[in-house]
Amino acid sequence: MTVAKSQPTHTPALDVERVRGDFPALYQRVHDKPLVYLDNAATSQKPQAVIDTLDDYYRRYNANVHRGLHKLAELATEAYEHARITVARFLNAPDAKQIVFTRGCTEAINLVAASWGGANLKPGDEILVSQMEHHSNIVPWQLIAEKTGAKVVMIPIDERGQINLDTYHALLNDKTRLVAVTAVSNSLGTINPIKKMIELAHAAGAVVLVDAAQAAPHMAVDVTDLDVDFLAFSGHKVFGPTGIGALYGRAELLEAMPPYQGGGEMIEQVTFEKTTFAAAPTRFEAGTPHIAGAIGLAAALNYVTAIGFDKIVTYENELLAYGTEALQAVEGLTLIGTAEHKAAVFSFTLDGIHPYDMSPVLDHEGIAIRTGHHCTQPVMDKFAIPATVRASLSFYNTPAEIDALVSALQKVKSLFS
Amino acid sequence: MPALQGLTIDDITAGFDFLEDWEQRFSYLLDLGKKLPEFPEDARTEDNKVHGCQSQVWLHAKMRTDNNTPTIHFQAVSDAHIVNGLIAILMTLYNDKSPADMLAIDYQAVFNQLDLEQHLSPTRRNGLHAMVQRIRTLAEQHA
Ligand SMILES: Cc1ncc(COP(=O)(O)O)c(C=O)c1O
């Protein structure tokens, strides 16, 4: 993974006004104010290229895949399978067969937990899960632990919201079967040292699942370089449609895994006596898949790749630096999550003002942010707070939008004083 | 502004009507919240917690039987200011009434008239409904 740091200076800068022009949703007024969309960790807006791709699919070649022997079915199947190749390239996966389309990151993790976990976990086995994980990378492990007698063990985080590698190393032992960790925290912005974590896990004989939901929109994710076993992400956070995501899996692991759900598509042969299953990835894609979603996701990945993560990382780091300084200047504001390596996510609290009291004021100022525990309750418990307000940025955000957030926060303060 | 006790729901409705823009109404709601009577510390118990709110809410009720018709007096508090404003409205609307009178209140109509709900997020609306439900359950138990 390219860590958001020290990019070569000769990269031409990102032209933010130009890229904003690609996102029709950004040009709206809400409550009669220009929309300032700072809720990208929840979901991203969609470029025209993705909207057009979806429109084109439904207008011209909507058909079920892998089934009909007619022209439209052929076009749809080709586009769907080509989307798989696009995802494989996006992740630098050796083979498109290692990409399973899912509903999203959550389903991808559940698939691994149920299928790989169900087949491989025994009583006493340990699953290491970091304290900063999204609930979708905690609960599936708890569910399978309950079924198999394995144990979920927490990798703690420090006051800045970081994993200490020595602490992590000390937790790895011969009972550790799997490590589940996020590449980037959605509530703290922390970029984790996942390459090193994977190396250490492998040395201890454990496999690793990386949650790349928050990494995929912001940095190059290279499964080959990482040498990761499983990696999951959601389309909608990376400028694609909702309801589609992908799981990357190491070939040997996927091949050995039992089916997750049963149905059409995933079989080789069905009789009432015995059913044999198709090879991966088809084995894990029961039923009619989200064809439009997969094709739309490919369009989104092509779109970000064309902009280039070198430019995106450089630009978002500028936003991170600008935003950190601007927010720290707001009296009474505390940033939650101050890791050394961070994505442009600002989680914060304001002295004496409940986070839920801020959201209607910010909303009325046209600012879209999220208030809550961000599906990371263990993180809130760690910092002993009920919730944070979170502004999560994307490459289409501007310093002026950070200024708008800051002045809206001044308004919050004056209203609640 | 007078203390909460002296206020009627009509005063509050008139107050909201009088204020033109959202910001003024919002400030008014916050001011109402500041008028809540002190919530007894020992009533901040798990049992008194209202679930279904994003912020923490405690609600504690007493029956008053000194009159011919028993009435219910309740008190609530939240760690969020906006919610305290909503609590102030609910206390004005429901408090010191007989269970039957409480159950007859159409709170939805009152909130519609206040034009407040559209400014509350759906989750906050759920929290408001959770508080109302708790009050109605209390009334039903004593009806
Ligand atoms: C780090 C992380 N993991 C997983 C998810 C779950 O993604 P989805 O709800 O799209 O399946 C999210 C979404 O917020 C996330 O931020």
Side-chain angles (χ1 to χ4, degrees), chain A residues 27-370:
Chain A
Y27 293 86
Q28 300 183 57
R29 294 178 75 81
V30 296
H31 304 295
D32 216 25
K33 304 265 167 51
L35 169 67
V36 175
Y37 188 78
L38 302 178
D39 197 15
N40 293 284
T43 199
S44 60
Q45 296 303 336
K46 316 305 169 200
Q48 191 64 46
V50 169
I51 300 167
D52 288 346
T53 299
L54 293 173
D55 183 77
D56 187 46
Y57 166 75
Y58 283 120
R59 281 174 193 278
R60 280 202 312 115
Y61 60 103
N62 167 55
N64 211 327
V65 290
H66 308 138
R67 292 180 190 184
L69 291 169
H70 55 78
K71 186 64 189 168
L72 296 196
E74 190 189 309
L75 288 174
T77 304
E78 202 180 306
Y80 181 71
E81 288 307 324
H82 200 267
R84 200 188 300 280
I85 296 172
T86 306
V87 174
R89 285 198 190 126
F90 181 76
L91 299 176
N92 196 27
D95 194 323
K97 291 198 191 76
Q98 293 171 267
I99 305 298
V100 181
F101 282 120
T102 63
R103 277 198 296 130
C105 189
T106 302
E107 191 183 45
I109 298 170
N110 275 281
L111 190 164
V112 177
S115 170
W116 181 90
N120 290 284
L121 293 170
K122 301 178 304 301
D125 284 352
E126 293 183 0
I127 309 163
L128 290 189
V129 175
S130 98
Q131 194 174 9
M132 73 174 86
E133 296 310 305
H134 189 279
H135 295 164
S136 66
N137 202 20
I138 301 176
V139 184
W141 304 114
Q142 290 174 331
L143 291 172
I144 197 65
E146 183 104 339
K147 277 206 181 114
T148 57
K151 203 168 91 187
V152 174
V153 177
M154 184 182 83
I155 310 165
I157 56 173
D158 67 15
E159 294 309 311
R160 292 173 70 180
Q162 312 175 112
I163 292 172
N164 176 290
L165 279 176
D166 293 332
T167 312
Y168 163 68
H169 197 178
L171 286 169
L172 287 164
N173 65 67
D174 56 5
K175 294 199 288 292
T176 314
R177 288 283 90 77
L178 181 132
V179 174
V181 66
T182 192
V184 177
S185 153
N186 67 308
S187 55
L188 300 165
T190 313
I191 299 175
N192 283 317
I194 51 168
K195 188 169 178 179
K196 188 76 197 157
M197 290 179 77
I198 292 165
E199 205 180 298
L200 291 169
H202 286 171
V207 302
V208 179
L209 177 138
V210 165
D211 173 349
Q214 298 295 342
H218 302 291
M219 59 194 70
V221 175
D222 183 332
V223 293
T224 302
D225 175 57
L226 287 171
D227 195 25
V228 67
D229 304 289
F230 296 107
L231 183 135
F233 75 97
S234 284
H236 69 96
K237 295 190 199 274
V238 59
F239 318 104
T242 52
I244 188 77
L247 169 70
Y248 159 84
R250 195 183 286 286
E252 316 86 88
L253 294 174
L254 284 180
E255 272 315 321
M257 277 159 55
Y260 172 52
Q261 293 175 330
E265 290 279 331
M266 50 78 73
I267 49 86
E268 189 179 67
Q269 197 170 27
V270 177
T271 67
F272 273 89
E273 285 70 46
K274 185 171 172 57
T275 294
T276 50
F277 303 111
T282 315
R283 187 190 308 154
F284 303 108
E285 293 180 5
T288 299
H290 189 0
I291 306 162
I295 299 170
L297 171 59
L301 300 182
N302 287 333
Y303 174 83
V304 263
T305 310
I307 294 177
F309 278 113
D310 45 357
K311 279 189 198 174
I312 291 175
V313 167
T314 308
Y315 181 71
E316 290 186 5
N317 274 339
E318 285 166 22
L319 288 178
L320 171 65
Y322 186 86
T324 306
E325 195 175 323
L327 288 169
Q328 273 172 341
V330 176
E331 210 179 312
L333 185 144
T334 308
L335 281 174
I336 307 293
T338 50
E340 189 184 344
H341 300 292
K342 248 193 91 168
V345 170
F346 306 104
S347 240
F348 56 87
T349 56
L350 266 184
D351 279 354
I353 305 175
H354 198 285
Y356 285 114
D357 279 336
M358 293 189 231
S359 33
V361 184
L362 297 176
D363 179 46
H364 265 266
E365 294 297 305
I367 295 175
I369 45 88
R370 178 158 171 197

Side-chain angles (χ1 to χ4, degrees), chain B residues 44-116:
Chain B
R44 283 182 197 252
T45 61
E46 200 47 46
D47 275 355
N48 283 340
K49 253 191 175 171
V50 182
H51 296 280
C53 305
Q54 289 176 317
S55 47
Q56 305 198 76
V57 175
W58 293 267
L59 189 145
H60 144 85
K62 275 201 222 90
M63 281 299 281
R64 284 195 178 154
T65 46
D66 38 349
N67 300 334
N68 290 342
T69 36
T71 57
I72 297 177
H73 182 85
F74 70 91
Q75 222 184 312
V77 74
S78 169
D79 52 354
H81 297 292
I82 297 173
V83 179
N84 282 332
L86 297 174
I87 289 171
I89 298 175
L90 290 178
M91 285 179 65
T92 311
L93 188 58
Y94 279 98
N95 241 345
D96 302 316
K97 295 198 167 55
S98 71
D101 285 347
M102 286 173 105
L103 289 170
I105 291 169
D106 181 0
Y107 90 98
Q108 197 70 56
V110 175
F111 275 83
N112 286 348
Q113 201 183 346
L114 294 176
D115 196 21
L116 253 181

Side-chain angles (χ1 to χ4, degrees), chain A residues 352 356-357 360 364 411 415, chain B residues 22-23 27 54 81-82 119 124:
Chain A
Y356 285 114
D357 279 336
H364 265 266
K411 184 160 219 169
L415 274 167
Chain B
W22 176 82
E23 220 170 289
S27 299
Q54 289 176 317
H81 297 292
I82 297 173
H119 299 296
R124 168 100 12 91

